[in-house]
Amino acid sequence: MAKLRERKNYRRAVLRSLYGAVEHNRTEVSGTALRSELGLPDEDLSAACVYLADEGLISVEWTSHRTPAAVSLTHEGIRLMEEQEERDDREDRATADRARPNG
């Protein structure tokens, strides 16, 4: 099983991938596509999806083998990712402002 830092990174990667799909008007991603894109073993992808679903951030349809068949962001998941995007934008602007010469 993955260490805590790896598990957190896997969860972030799942959220980023799903948010990217939403930005391209794809509301759902197949588990196979997600697994392929992220390069995660079934066990780690399943664990990330269970955690995120329990947090109410994603919705998962499961296969009979308890691996994700289809995954999508919930409304709360989209809000979380939008807030993160806004924070990143503010940080980028602040960094750009500090890099500008004062003269």
Side-chain angles (χ1 to χ4, degrees), residues 15-100:
L15 289 171
R16 280 193 306 269
S17 177
L18 295 173
Y19 188 59
V22 167
E23 289 179 328
H24 291 95
N25 295 319
R26 292 186 357 243
T27 58
E28 188 173 86
V29 176
S30 76
T32 303
L34 194 57
R35 187 177 312 105
S36 175
E37 178 185 336
L38 300 178
L40 296 179
D42 283 340
E43 179 180 290
D44 293 327
L45 178 59
S46 294
C49 287
V50 165
Y51 181 92
L52 294 169
D54 286 350
E55 292 294 312
L57 300 174
I58 67 171
S59 175
V60 184
E61 293 177 29
W62 297 97
T63 67
S64 60
H65 296 83
R66 294 298 297 157
T67 58
V71 187
S72 58
L73 281 176
T74 63
H75 179 73
E76 283 302 312
I78 292 170
R79 287 183 58 202
L80 175 77
M81 295 307 293
E82 287 174 344
E83 289 169 6
Q84 180 63 50
E85 185 176 17
E86 289 171 349
R87 272 193 304 274
D88 291 346
D89 287 347
R90 282 192 302 271
E91 289 173 8
D92 289 347
R93 281 193 304 273
T95 300
D97 289 345
R98 285 192 300 270
R100 253 187 237 139

